[in-house]
Amino acid sequence: MLGIDNFKFIHLSEVDSTNVYAKSLILKEKTDNFIVIADTQTSGKTTKSNSVWDSPIGNLYFTMAVRIGKDYKKFTHLLSFLVALSLVESVKSISNSDVDIRIKWPNDVLLNVKKLSGILIEQEGDYSIIGIGVNIAHHPKNINIKYPTTSLADANINTTPAEFANILAKRIIQNLNFFINDNFKSLVERIKPYMYNINKIVYLSFNNQNFKGIFENIDSNGAIVIKTDSGVMSFLSAELTKENFI
């Protein structure tokens, strides 16, 4: 069973990307499980290859590199759900009980229906590299960004990057143990109550096509299941579009 003591913490004042740094460390040293935290990034990675995660000092830039047994490697594509749940639970643990925190499928964490964080899961050899950016003190205010954003500070949730990193790391480890010792179906049941717009009409984009339907479920593979006028459809890699925020 994993514990926080199984992870080495590495703190950097500045780095190009915590994920890139973690990969280089793995390739160079083949080290044990570790967590990288940086005060700022110059080229923070996002899920979009041509974009950079805005990284002002005061927010959290966090990468966890963890070896997961080979029997579970086929489930690594589901780690983003686990991480999103861990983020939600971490925020709830330091805020009041009625905080409006939810997950926009598949892994965008929303606070007051605004994006709070970014998650990027990558693989390097035997390691899963879990990259997370969390808006602790600041958030992008550019009116041209795709979705509205927020920070913990905007919601009067007071913490520091170091404090929240410790809370988040422990929660991810706890959920990894649950995931490894149980199954993903049980994890899905824990995620569903936090899913944004479940049982409501949603709009999706997939392969340059747009779809509209009722968000009915998440299946055991992590796919979103919607009921459209043409029947029930499931998507593993579609995008919930901006119309869902209107």
Side-chain angles (χ1 to χ4, degrees):
M1 180 173 288
L2 291 170
I4 194 70
D5 292 339
N6 298 122
F7 289 80
K8 175 184 178 182
F9 275 79
I10 301 168
H11 176 259
L12 305 171
S13 58
E14 182 179 286
V15 70
D16 52 354
S17 156
T18 54
N19 269 31
V20 170
Y21 182 87
K23 283 185 177 183
S24 68
L25 199 60
I26 290 166
L27 292 171
K28 184 171 67 174
E29 299 184 13
K30 296 293 182 182
T31 186
D32 291 331
N33 300 330
F34 62 92
I35 294 168
V36 180
I37 301 166
D39 294 337
T40 185
Q41 300 178 119
T42 56
S43 302
K45 296 183 70 176
T46 74
T47 54
K48 309 297 184 186
S49 59
N50 61 346
S51 64
V52 174
W53 183 265
D54 189 31
S55 304
I57 292 174
N59 289 345
L60 176 62
Y61 314 108
F62 172 109
T63 293
M64 174 183 282
V66 57
R67 278 182 168 139
I68 298 178
K70 62 182 180 180
D71 292 339
Y72 299 92
K73 288 192 76 172
K74 63 184 177 182
F75 299 116
T76 52
H77 68 288
L78 304 174
L79 284 176
S80 63
F81 291 91
L82 183 152
V83 174
L85 176 64
S86 300
L87 262 169
V88 166
E89 292 175 337
S90 296
V91 171
K92 286 181 69 68
S93 73
I94 59 171
S95 58
N96 59 57
S97 58
D98 62 351
V99 64
D100 181 12
I101 184 139
R102 288 177 278 176
I103 300 168
K104 181 175 79 71
W105 182 90
N107 64 8
D108 280 337
V109 174
L110 306 179
L111 180 60
N112 297 324
V113 201
K114 297 178 181 179
K115 186 170 179 175
L116 178 68
S117 64
I119 296 170
L120 176 62
I121 311 292
E122 300 181 285
Q123 296 297 128
E124 184 63 55
D126 294 335
Y127 290 84
S128 290
I129 298 174
I130 300 168
I132 308 168
V134 183
N135 296 332
I136 303 286
H138 316 283
H139 66 91
K141 296 179 175 64
N142 185 337
I143 61 172
N144 294 318
I145 59 177
K146 193 170 186 179
Y147 298 115
T149 62
T150 192
S151 66
L152 293 180
D154 267 11
N156 296 314
I157 300 172
N158 298 313
T159 188
T160 65
E163 180 182 55
F164 193 73
N166 190 55
I167 293 168
L168 178 60
K170 289 179 178 177
R171 186 67 67 167
I172 293 172
I173 291 166
Q174 182 183 62
N175 284 331
L176 279 170
N177 286 324
F178 176 85
F179 179 62
I180 290 169
N181 290 296
D182 199 338
N183 56 61
F184 184 67
K185 185 176 180 181
S186 298
L187 195 70
V188 166
E189 293 307 313
R190 288 173 52 198
I191 291 169
K192 281 182 185 178
Y194 296 115
M195 269 292 155
Y196 178 67
N197 274 348
I198 196 163
N199 298 319
K200 295 181 180 179
I201 292 175
V202 294
Y203 301 83
L204 291 93
S205 174
F206 178 71
N207 279 352
N208 296 317
Q209 296 184 67
N210 296 316
F211 300 88
K212 173 185 175 182
I214 297 173
F215 180 179
E216 289 196 327
N217 199 10
I218 308 166
D219 72 17
S220 59
N221 289 313
I224 186 171
V225 180
I226 66 170
K227 184 178 181 181
T228 72
D229 290 341
S230 303
V232 176
M233 306 178 72
S234 63
F235 300 86
L236 269 174
S237 59
E239 180 181 8
L240 286 171
T241 64
K242 191 171 184 177
E243 283 83 357
N244 295 285
F245 288 93
I246 296 174

